[in-house]
Amino acid sequence: MLGNFSYCNPTRLYFGEDALGFLNTELPRYGENVVLIYGGGSIKKNGIYDDVMKFLRENGKNVAEIAGVMPNPTVDKLYEGVEIARKHRADLLLAVGGGSVCDYAKAVSVSVNCKDDPWEKYYIRFEEPDCGTLPVGCVLTMVGTGSEMNAGAVITNPRTHQKIGHVFADEKIMPRFSILNPKYTLTLPHCQMVSGIYDIFSHICEQYFSGEDDNVSDYLSEGLMRAVIRDSRIANRDPQNYEARSNLMWAATWALNTLLSRGKSTDWMVHMLGQSAGAYTNAPHGMTLSAVSLPYYRHILPFGVRKFRRFAVNVWDVKAEGRTDMQIAEEGLAAMESWMKELGLVMNLTGLGVTGEMIEGIADGTLIMNGGYKVLNRGEIVEILRESLA
Ligand code: NZQ
Ligand code: ZN
């Protein structure tokens, strides 16, 4: 295990078909002013909104709403929500939705008492909050991001074509509680379901493809990846399969709740490339990752052959006998590619509306990380993005 570290995750999870009932345990812990935050209306169609409102009323809450949080929430929407939360003197922000809604609630939480412009402070200067923050609770309706149990909040600035994530250092920014009812995810359109599945897988890869030591995280990651592959195949054939969908929900939470990254370096270049492409296309997050992953992994493969070989054998059951490490490693990526196609993921940037003229801008917006097997230079970023077009 690398270095010295501490581990604390304060988010209390309530999991299962009856999990929403635990709002009766959580809501009394906070003052009466609640801001209910949700997206474009799916929770009104599938009844979750009515169920949550019932619990809020029963607990005597005075509720204001921030509705219409869009996928890949924007900085203007953040400014609007901060005003609503201030006016309402919010005691609790209750996010009901997917990663976008949960992330957005955290961004409002750190901005509500902050005098500076939150975009400049948190997303350009990457400062930590130095003002009071508001508690956030989540009722999760889409699986993938892990936002339900982490301190990440991704915000998009469409004016500058920047999509930037801030993972706050203070665990107080993590949701105080999250309600995980797998049944809530059953109304997701197929494209969102598979986008979320690939997001889970990518989170694990980002923390797996780094380091040369024999790290506990890598064994945890391999188990999670095998579970995601198995359950995604079942869910893809039979989207209403509760067992598969509930396994995916639990795997998503553990894929990005700070556990896997302890004691090792991490990569995150697929996310940096995908996020920058997302700022130009507003595409579903998971699809931006699937579009760039294989060109990126094939590019860095020569710098991390041993790990890619291990991935092939331990995750994809590639037979090692009589082959070189490189051949085994390449076969692992080929197995990953056919699984991605089987799910129906978007496999290139053109499929998301990216054109050749956008490549330089997307490269400009790609933050370069240094924890993976190869620190990319700008030329390599452009090359990978161009390969991702086809
Ligand atoms: O807006 P509504 O009407 O609710 O519709 C949403 C949205 O259109 C719909 N949806 C959600 N639950 C549903 C449903 N439709 C039917 N039934 C349901 N039960 O799904 C669409 C996508 O939702 P969204 O929340 O945008 O998806 P996701 O959970 O993938 O979140 C994406 C955001 O999270 C960020 C991404 O960058 C992106 O902005 N991420 C956050 C991370 C974190 N906090 O650590 C890490 C991730 O890597 C990611 O970057
Ligand atoms: Zn992600």
Side-chain angles (χ1 to χ4, degrees):
M1 301 294 284
L2 189 69
N4 305 292
F5 60 86
S6 75
Y7 180 76
C8 171
N9 191 317
T11 305
R12 180 173 294 276
L13 301 176
Y14 297 99
F15 193 95
E17 291 179 50
D18 301 323
L20 194 67
F22 285 97
L23 281 180
N24 281 336
T25 307
E26 288 294 337
L27 291 176
R29 296 186 171 145
Y30 304 94
E32 67 169 358
N33 295 335
V34 175
V35 175
L36 178 67
I37 304 177
Y38 57 96
S42 68
I43 65 163
K44 291 208 166 161
K45 285 197 209 111
N46 57 24
I48 300 171
Y49 174 86
D50 291 338
D51 292 347
V52 170
M53 282 305 281
K54 187 171 110 349
F55 282 104
L56 288 166
R57 268 195 298 271
E58 278 173 13
N59 283 274
K61 299 300 181 186
N62 170 25
V63 181
E65 295 189 8
I66 303 173
V69 176
M70 61 291 280
N72 313 312
T74 63
V75 65
D76 286 337
K77 189 70 186 172
L78 173 60
Y79 297 145
E80 180 194 316
V82 168
E83 284 313 311
I84 293 170
R86 278 181 188 153
K87 218 181 264 166
H88 194 58
R89 299 181 174 282
D91 298 306
L92 172 71
L93 303 174
L94 185 61
V96 184
S100 293
V101 174
C102 299
D103 276 18
Y104 176 86
K106 288 178 240 174
V108 172
S109 159
V110 297
S111 305
V112 78
N113 293 315
C114 158
K115 290 196 184 68
D116 294 357
D117 176 87
W119 173 257
E120 291 293 326
K121 181 177 174 67
Y122 298 125
Y123 295 94
I124 301 298
R125 300 199 301 272
F126 277 93
E127 290 171 14
E128 292 298 310
D130 44 15
C131 49
T133 59
L134 289 177
V136 170
C138 297
V139 177
L140 193 68
T141 67
M142 154 129 192
V143 161
T145 63
S147 187
E148 66 275 14
M149 204 183 187
N150 69 38
V154 183
I155 295 292
T156 297
N157 187 338
R159 279 186 292 278
T160 57
H161 284 306
Q162 284 171 299
K163 182 178 185 188
I164 299 180
H166 188 141
V167 181
F168 290 95
D170 188 343
E171 61 243 14
K172 255 206 336 269
I173 314 304
M174 294 177 178
R176 300 293 166 90
F177 64 91
S178 284
I179 306 252
L180 309 182
N181 179 347
K183 282 215 156 159
Y184 288 169
T185 69
L186 297 180
T187 55
L188 273 171
H190 181 266
C191 97
Q192 294 293 349
M193 178 186 79
V194 295
S195 173
I197 287 169
Y198 190 69
D199 194 21
I200 310 172
F201 197 80
S202 178
H203 292 159
I204 306 168
C205 289
E206 300 276 31
Q207 298 166 94
Y208 180 78
F209 288 117
S210 49
E212 290 294 344
D213 55 336
D214 200 17
N215 190 294
V216 169
S217 283
D218 293 332
Y219 294 91
L220 292 170
S221 294
E222 286 162 1
L224 282 171
M225 286 193 273
R226 292 183 72 96
V228 171
I229 295 161
R230 189 201 60 172
D231 289 302
S232 66
R233 286 189 159 134
I234 298 169
N236 197 35
R237 279 195 306 272
D238 175 16
Q240 299 301 307
N241 186 306
Y242 179 85
E243 193 182 346
R245 300 297 290 272
S246 60
N247 281 333
L248 289 166
M249 191 171 218
W250 193 235
T253 303
W254 286 92
L256 194 54
N257 70 355
T258 72
L259 173 73
L260 295 182
S261 61
R262 290 313 88 161
K264 78 185 298 288
S265 59
T266 54
D267 183 356
W268 294 107
M269 264 327 289
V270 167
H271 271 67
M272 295 306 106
L273 291 158
Q275 264 172 220
S276 190
Y280 277 75
T281 58
N282 199 25
H285 169 65
M287 298 299 191
T288 66
L289 307 176
S290 58
V292 298
S293 285
L294 286 161
Y296 172 68
Y297 286 132
R298 290 191 168 121
H299 185 89
I300 63 161
L301 173 58
F303 306 93
V305 178
R306 273 183 37 194
K307 194 59 159 290
F308 282 96
R309 180 196 190 280
R310 177 176 166 168
F311 174 69
V313 173
N314 290 359
V315 178
W316 296 101
D317 295 326
V318 171
K319 298 278 169 280
E321 294 79 40
R323 324 264 203 79
T324 65
D325 287 353
M326 190 56 133
Q327 285 168 332
I328 298 162
E330 280 168 349
E331 203 174 312
L333 288 179
M336 177 172 156
E337 181 170 7
S338 50
W339 167 71
M340 292 167 73
K341 287 180 174 161
E342 183 187 324
L343 292 185
L345 293 162
V346 177
M347 299 298 288
N348 56 60
L349 286 175
T350 307
L352 301 177
V354 173
T355 59
E357 296 79 65
M358 295 180 191
I359 294 294
E360 293 292 330
I362 296 174
D364 288 342
T366 302
L367 300 180
I368 297 178
M369 311 299 277
N370 60 9
Y373 288 122
K374 169 79 175 71
V375 182
L376 300 182
N377 58 44
R378 194 175 186 287
E380 289 174 295
I381 287 177
V382 170
E383 193 185 317
I384 291 164
L385 288 170
R386 287 207 186 283
E387 279 167 15
S388 303
L389 283 173

